[in-house]
Amino acid sequence: MSEIIFLGTAGARYVVAKQLRASAGTIIKIENSYLLLDPGPGTLVYLAKKKIPIEKIETIVISHHHLDHSADLNIIVDAITEGGFKKKGNLYITESAINEPILLPYLRTYLKKIKFLKPLTFYEEPPFKFKTTSQLCHTVENYGFLFFFPEGKIVGFLTDTAYFENLAEEFKNVDILIIYVVRITPKNGVLHLSIPDIKNLLTKIKPEEIILTHFGMTMLKANPFKIAQKLSEELNLNIKACYDGMKLEIK
Ligand SMILES: [Zn+2]
Ligand SMILES: [Zn+2]
């Protein structure tokens, strides 16, 4: 059985800065292999706390270079490669993130492979299979993902973006959808999803399970669990709010 482990669920800057929720990344586990998605601040610490064997992480995927998605990348690369003693690890990252650069040049030589994410492209790093969405509507180059699990399930990660017309189209085939919902109400100029966007989206697609995560302050104040319950009743869908350390079994 495959598993998704949400080490952290923090979204906006204040929640990350005050660690009101952990800002660590997400682990995808298939068989005995581990993929790390978006190692935000604290990922190294939470991997250790959750006793996830860091040496088993072979693949790292970074949706975009905002720090809440990438801050621990350098130390993770150093850790999994034992300071470069073992050349290993496959990093999937945007070209603009490498140019920032969010990964120190000396650490790049430690990795086996660095591959740039391109829109609507399928990648295979056995046992992991995933596809990028089109470039999302965010302040920097950013992608969402569809992960294809051996159980036959497709799990979508709708990462940081403003709502746009074709968003539903990008995730129309997913069985489980993980939505990064930062705000309760929309705010002009903020390129993040809010609850009205989610309602809009979920009138067009009906995944069997929906997980809300990546919360900003307005979401935390309103209580994500209550919001998820209300949305579930209103839309007649299975919607859950994520919490730090939550495990999602893929069956
Ligand atoms: Zn973010
Ligand atoms: Zn972002």
Side-chain angles (χ1 to χ4, degrees):
M1 184 190 55
S2 305
E3 208 172 43
I4 299 175
I5 307 161
F6 300 90
L7 297 172
T9 54
R13 185 162 294 111
Y14 187 82
V15 176
V16 174
K18 298 281 182 185
Q19 289 290 293
L20 301 174
R21 290 283 186 108
S23 50
T26 300
I27 285 285
I28 298 176
K29 182 178 177 239
I30 297 179
E31 293 149 20
N32 209 18
S33 299
Y34 293 76
L35 178 148
L36 174 61
L37 174 66
D38 283 352
T43 300
L44 183 76
V45 172
Y46 280 89
L47 285 169
K49 272 192 182 174
K50 293 282 168 193
K51 296 191 167 50
I52 290 163
I54 196 163
E55 66 282 358
K56 285 192 178 164
I57 297 172
E58 290 276 358
T59 305
I60 303 168
V61 181
I62 303 226
S63 64
H64 66 296
H65 62 257
H66 282 156
L67 283 174
D68 55 323
H69 300 255
S70 65
D72 270 14
L73 175 62
N74 286 285
I75 189 63
I76 300 281
V77 168
D78 188 75
I80 66 170
T81 61
E82 296 176 25
F85 185 70
K86 284 187 179 158
K87 195 172 176 79
K88 67 183 254 203
N90 310 296
L91 174 64
Y92 290 80
I93 192 164
T94 61
E95 200 167 354
S96 49
I98 275 287
N99 291 335
E100 266 298 312
I102 59 160
L103 180 61
L104 294 168
Y106 84 92
L107 290 168
R108 293 176 197 186
T109 59
Y110 293 4
L111 289 164
K112 210 160 67 190
K113 181 170 73 191
I114 298 177
K115 209 158 176 174
F116 295 139
L117 295 168
K118 298 287 171 204
L120 301 171
T121 306
F122 185 82
Y123 301 94
E124 193 162 0
E125 201 62 71
F128 303 100
K129 294 176 185 178
F130 62 97
K131 193 186 159 199
T132 46
T133 61
S134 303
Q135 193 170 322
L136 298 180
C137 182
H138 201 41
T139 47
V140 297
E141 181 185 7
N142 180 39
Y143 299 98
F145 302 98
L146 306 186
F147 279 89
F148 301 85
F149 283 82
E151 292 81 0
K153 292 282 166 74
I154 305 176
V155 179
F157 281 82
L158 203 187
T159 60
D160 292 355
T161 185
Y163 188 80
F164 59 93
E165 200 45 45
N166 280 333
L167 192 55
E169 190 66 20
E170 301 279 347
F171 293 95
K172 66 176 183 206
N173 295 324
V174 304
D175 300 292
I176 301 169
L177 182 59
I178 294 148
I179 309 178
Y180 291 28
V181 51
V182 169
R183 291 188 54 84
I184 194 122
T185 52
K187 190 178 177 186
N188 241 348
V190 174
L191 302 182
H192 279 294
L193 294 174
S194 61
I195 296 299
D197 300 325
I198 308 299
K199 285 188 190 172
N200 214 343
L201 177 77
L202 296 176
T203 55
K204 297 175 183 163
I205 50 170
K206 307 280 176 200
E208 65 187 49
E209 191 170 358
I210 297 131
I211 313 272
L212 308 180
T213 186
H214 213 61
F215 304 126
M217 206 51 215
T218 58
M219 279 295 290
L220 286 191
K221 273 189 179 154
N223 188 339
F225 302 105
K226 279 189 186 156
I227 293 171
Q229 196 186 356
K230 213 171 133 216
L231 274 178
S232 294
E233 287 161 10
E234 209 175 312
L235 303 170
N236 198 23
L237 287 166
N238 176 17
I239 305 174
K240 289 190 189 114
C242 200
Y243 53 88
D244 293 348
M246 188 174 113
K247 284 185 184 178
L248 177 68
E249 293 176 351
I250 310 295
K251 292 174 206 155

